[in-house]
Amino acid sequence: MNADGTHWNPDMETLGREELEALQLERLKETLQRCARSPFYQAWFRDAGFEPGGFESLEDIRGLPCMEKDTLRGGDPTRFLTVPLDDVVRIHSSSGTTGQATVIFHTARDIEAWAELVARCMYMVGVRRSDVFQNMMGYGLFTGGLGFHYAAEKIGALVIPAGSGNSRRQIQLMRDFHTTVIHIIPSYALYLLEVFGELGVDPRGGTDLRIAFIGAEPHTEGLRRRVEEAYGVSAYNSYGLSEMCGPGVAFECPEQEGMHVWEDSFLMEVLDPLTLEPVEEGKEGELVFTSLNREGMPLLRYRTRDLASVYRGECPCGRVHRRISRIKGRSDDMFIVKGVNVFPMQVEKVLLGVLGVGSNYQIVLDTVGAMDEMRVLVEVAGELWHGEVRELNRLRRRIMEELRQEVLVTPLVELVEPGSLPAGEGKAVRVVDKREHARHARGD
Ligand code: ADP
Ligand code: ZN
């Protein structure tokens, strides 16, 4: 790649809008041809009466139904492959998915293209070979770790694959190796400030940090500014999802005014989640993506459930790739706590399997200090409520342990009197989210 000081990939980053759309069409046609080799897509096309060869414009994609997470779940995941399994070199899966994981297969070319995209993001806001990059995201199946790792090495930065957690060591590493760039979950960035405080270190004067990449969970502009001020960095929002590789789908440029979607690699639609019709330009809708440069497992019209809107007008940085707003949240009821995705139904599944649990429960999310706190209020079966305290404690510990195993975060569990939780006639309100970004999203 011939970086020019401003663009990591000048060919792709300085395209005009027409050229970009012509490239999208070309890549979409290739993708559809490739898909026609997979058993899944053969049936998908046939059932939809969709003719991949008779494709003339980008809008024709709307002749296909949307794919969802459920489309990917269950069955043999290799049915999506458009290459022989031997050509696959890696799998990733989504972060919060336990049980039936949605698996994404990558060929060597896919991994390379992904690293290129993330390198483009990092370079765009000033990461260079002279930087020391500490990646504080989980490594492994989660895409936040390896996704950034390969990109930073590509740029030639010194990479510290610190992984997540172990706060005191993170700070020690930053100081020992003069870390200049971090990649960190936003809520954890706030928490880490408390640990800095305990150590008596001021992140502004006591480190060489200058850039932070924050993403993987919804967060407010206020949180970004707090991170920037406390750490003395410029913080950039990074958006992605494992189904579209991971990080590197959309990213803020130096303007910090919306995230550019790398439209040479992803075709974006913004749809009304109910009607699946395109929303008016600038209006909020669900982001739906089609991969345009994926070899092993292309996905067509994949519904992210993420709600955002598209910025109008051109970005002063000159890139014509459309910009999206912060992600407001998911259109379904999933929530993210400490960077981990949790479905209320996972909680319910656990609760209903434990003897002594009553008929109602509620999940309360709050911010305590700077960290997410998840409380699960559980109504206890009547006889137990009036029984021994020891028994109640045992029940509480058991629920906590089983929840931890299922959702991968440890919630606080409060046993409450039978009938004490609100229960309406309509659908139950399972999640009460009092956290700042949720209040913000609701506009209260
Ligand atoms: P899962 O698919 O189980 O959610 P992923 O690790 O693939 O696991 O997470 C992708 C999701 O994380 C996105 O669909 C989105 O909801 C959320 N996400 C990622 N980056 C951001 C961001 N910058 N802002 C808000 N939400 C984000
Ligand atoms: Zn820009």
Side-chain angles (χ1 to χ4, degrees):
M1 208 54 56
N2 304 310
D4 64 6
T6 308
H7 310 94
W8 173 256
N9 184 338
D11 288 350
M12 290 297 140
E13 290 175 76
T14 62
L15 285 173
R17 192 69 215 173
E18 274 182 22
E19 292 169 298
L20 178 58
E21 285 176 11
L23 177 70
Q24 286 189 304
L25 186 58
E26 187 188 312
R27 288 186 166 179
L28 183 57
K29 285 180 178 169
E30 280 167 24
T31 298
L32 292 172
Q33 294 302 333
R34 205 178 299 135
C35 285
R37 292 182 214 142
S38 99
F40 168 82
Y41 284 113
Q42 283 162 9
W44 194 249
F45 290 166
R46 195 177 52 239
D47 292 350
F50 182 81
E51 187 43 68
F55 206 82
E56 276 163 21
S57 84
L58 291 170
E59 282 72 48
D60 292 350
I61 190 82
R62 296 184 54 209
L64 269 174
C66 289
M67 299 179 75
E68 308 193 35
K69 234 183 173 79
D70 268 349
T71 321
L72 301 178
R73 287 206 177 105
D76 177 3
T78 61
R79 69 191 186 283
F80 298 99
L81 281 179
T82 63
V83 296
L85 189 56
D86 278 356
D87 289 351
V88 172
V89 299
R90 197 194 297 168
I91 66 166
H92 276 289
S93 77
S94 56
S95 58
T97 320
T98 54
Q100 267 193 343
T102 58
V103 175
I104 301 294
F105 293 103
H106 299 270
T107 65
R109 182 179 170 279
D110 291 334
I111 297 288
E112 167 66 19
W114 179 25
E116 272 296 317
L117 277 182
V118 181
R120 198 194 285 186
C121 303
M122 299 179 84
Y123 192 89
M124 174 164 73
V125 296
V127 178
R128 297 292 182 271
R129 350 186 25 240
S130 51
D131 277 299
V132 178
F133 172 63
Q134 187 165 327
N135 195 4
M136 299 161 76
M137 288 278 176
Y139 276 67
L141 286 170
F142 177 51
T143 53
L146 290 170
F148 266 72
H149 182 103
Y150 277 59
E153 284 189 350
K154 208 171 236 309
I155 290 173
L158 169 60
V159 181
I160 308 176
S164 58
N166 215 338
S167 306
R168 287 179 176 239
R169 188 155 153 261
Q170 298 279 6
I171 294 170
Q172 191 66 47
L173 285 168
M174 279 179 204
R175 284 159 68 77
D176 286 351
F177 297 102
H178 302 281
T179 302
T180 54
V181 181
I182 53 174
H183 179 208
I184 186 167
I185 299 248
S187 58
Y188 184 64
L190 288 192
Y191 167 74
L192 199 66
L193 287 173
E194 294 180 1
V195 184
F196 269 105
E198 286 165 20
L199 295 174
V201 178
D202 175 6
R204 291 187 78 100
T207 71
D208 296 296
L209 295 176
R210 61 183 200 93
I211 293 175
F213 297 115
I214 55 177
E217 67 179 7
H219 57 282
T220 58
E221 182 65 25
L223 190 152
R224 182 239 294 273
R225 294 299 167 207
R226 270 182 66 185
V227 169
E228 291 192 320
E229 276 158 32
Y231 285 87
V233 296
S234 298
Y236 299 96
N237 194 358
S238 151
Y239 169 78
L241 60 158
S242 55
E243 291 82 1
M244 291 292 132
C245 287
V249 175
F251 216 86
E252 276 182 335
C253 69
E255 302 294 327
Q256 294 185 315
E257 197 56 63
M259 297 182 277
H260 287 284
V261 174
W262 294 130
E263 292 179 280
D264 52 287
S265 300
F266 306 100
L267 180 69
M268 175 173 68
E269 297 172 85
V270 187
L271 304 182
D272 179 317
L274 295 177
T275 63
L276 294 181
E277 289 297 318
V279 299
E280 221 178 287
E281 206 204 356
K283 290 273 160 54
E284 183 183 285
E286 180 178 338
L287 304 179
V288 174
F289 290 110
T290 296
S291 65
L292 293 177
N293 195 22
R294 208 147 77 206
E295 192 178 55
M297 185 172 165
L299 293 185
L300 308 179
R301 304 198 83 203
Y302 181 75
R303 289 186 64 173
T304 62
R305 305 276 167 178
D306 293 325
L307 299 173
S309 54
V310 171
Y311 274 67
R312 289 171 205 268
E314 294 199 351
C315 184
C317 83
R319 292 174 182 84
V320 297
H321 305 254
R322 282 184 296 168
R323 287 169 295 159
I324 51 169
S325 66
R326 283 180 185 283
I327 307 297
K328 185 171 173 184
R330 302 218 180 191
S331 59
D332 54 16
D333 55 4
M334 199 205 77
F335 57 89
I336 301 181
V337 67
K338 294 181 184 169
V340 176
N341 298 338
V342 183
F343 286 89
M345 287 307 114
Q346 288 177 280
V347 174
E348 184 165 300
K349 194 175 116 199
V350 166
L351 294 179
L352 294 187
V354 177
L355 207 67
V357 167
S359 57
N360 206 352
Y361 70 94
Q362 194 167 58
I363 301 159
V364 182
L365 306 172
D366 212 337
T367 309
V368 175
M371 285 293 277
D372 283 343
E373 183 197 71
M374 173 176 166
R375 270 188 303 147
V376 183
L377 309 181
V378 184
E379 285 188 11
V380 176
E383 57 283 12
L384 207 73
W385 182 253
H386 299 290
E388 285 190 35
V389 175
R390 214 164 22 131
E391 287 300 313
L392 286 174
N393 280 337
R394 193 174 296 158
L395 174 65
R396 199 176 62 80
R397 278 198 305 273
R398 162 124 191 259
I399 295 173
M400 222 154 93
E401 175 55 23
E402 293 206 13
L403 281 174
R404 190 184 63 78
Q405 283 184 23
E406 172 70 28
V407 302
L408 307 176
V409 286
T410 312
L412 296 173
V413 173
E414 279 177 34
L415 300 181
V416 301
E417 196 171 354
S420 62
L421 292 175
E425 284 185 5
K427 288 183 188 182
V429 180
R430 292 305 190 197
V431 183
V432 179
D433 200 335
K434 299 178 176 173
R435 294 176 299 179
E436 191 196 344
H437 62 73
R439 286 206 308 271
H440 186 78
R442 287 195 300 268
D444 57 30

